[in-house]
Amino acid sequence: MPTLDEVACTGPWRHRHPGEKALLAFGLLGCAVALPPWPGALVAGTAALALLLGPAGLGARTLLRAARGPLVFVVVGALPLLFSVGGPMLVRLDPGGVGAALALAGRATAGLLCVLLFAATTPLADTLPRLARLGVPPAVVDVAGLVYRLLFLLLDRIAAVRAAQAGRLGFRSFRTAFRSVAGQAGAVFVSAFDRARRMEQGLALRGDPGSLRVQLPPQRLSRRFLAATGVLLAAVVTLSLVLA
């Protein structure tokens, strides 16, 4: 399965200006947070979901794979609201907490879909160089870019080690799989330190060139896209207030 960054690099919105996609995604995120959970979060989350599966070109399987991890944290954060502590029973089910749990889960899920809308359509390589123009310190942008690069190197290393272990029948049983996973973790841990050390040495040999500048392709803001975004956000706010 491709990663979100790979999907963003090959998606139909790849060549759109990041500012357009940021306005759309974070505008919907603002609606999901500021409007009442019902129906504001539901309307904003539904709009983000429709954009993800429609114009953004993100497949349902890729979306589920990207969202299942954060959704676990959403469920774990909402479950304690269903219980109260105190009284004759130390822990008891609180009927009044059902509404709070659903509101929290709905708002968090809608916010997750809005963030995924930006992540699945905008490669980080397009975002990081523009952060410095917005006032983010160049050192922070450079460190983020290096960590981003190192993560992909580690993913390639994990895939190579796993393929080698599978070729030696390292996953034929639970015991061999456990041993292979432990060996994989050790190999990747050592490789991470080695690659980080070599990257640090390479940067030191540059003689402090300052910011690692990259050339960005020329991109212009689309007035049609911005107008459509404004109409969509206004519709989300209006529909949420009417249904409230």
Side-chain angles (χ1 to χ4, degrees), residues 16-213:
R16 288 198 171 277
H17 196 284
E20 300 174 359
K21 295 173 282 189
L23 177 63
L24 175 61
F26 295 116
L28 288 174
L29 177 61
C31 293
V33 173
L35 295 174
W38 169 259
L42 178 62
V43 175
T46 302
L49 179 62
L51 290 171
L52 280 168
L53 299 179
L58 186 66
R61 291 182 59 190
T62 306
L63 174 60
L64 181 61
R65 182 172 177 266
R68 62 187 180 185
L71 285 177
V72 172
F73 286 94
V74 172
V75 173
V76 171
L79 281 179
L81 297 178
L82 298 175
F83 302 92
S84 61
V85 180
M89 299 179 62
L90 183 60
V91 179
R92 60 185 177 87
L93 186 65
D94 185 7
V98 176
L102 291 177
L104 174 62
R107 199 186 292 275
T109 303
L112 170 63
L113 292 173
C114 296
V115 173
L116 287 178
L117 177 60
F118 182 77
T121 56
T122 310
L124 197 60
D126 289 350
T127 306
L128 287 178
R130 290 178 169 86
L131 291 179
R133 301 178 183 178
L134 298 177
V136 179
V140 176
V141 177
D142 292 342
V143 170
L146 294 174
V147 172
Y148 169 74
R149 172 61 178 163
L150 184 60
L151 286 176
F152 279 92
L153 292 175
L154 292 180
L155 288 176
D156 290 340
R157 177 62 175 169
I158 292 173
V161 173
R162 184 175 181 83
Q165 291 175 336
R168 294 194 295 266
L169 302 178
F171 298 95
R172 66 181 184 273
S173 65
F174 177 80
R175 293 183 62 183
T176 57
F178 183 81
R179 185 165 58 248
S180 297
V181 170
Q184 183 185 74
V188 173
F189 182 78
V190 174
S191 178
F193 272 90
D194 179 61
R195 289 182 180 272
R197 179 182 56 82
R198 285 188 289 169
M199 189 177 294
E200 180 185 7
Q201 291 176 348
L203 291 174
L205 292 175
R206 290 173 180 261
D208 189 18
S211 179
L212 302 176
R213 299 183 180 273

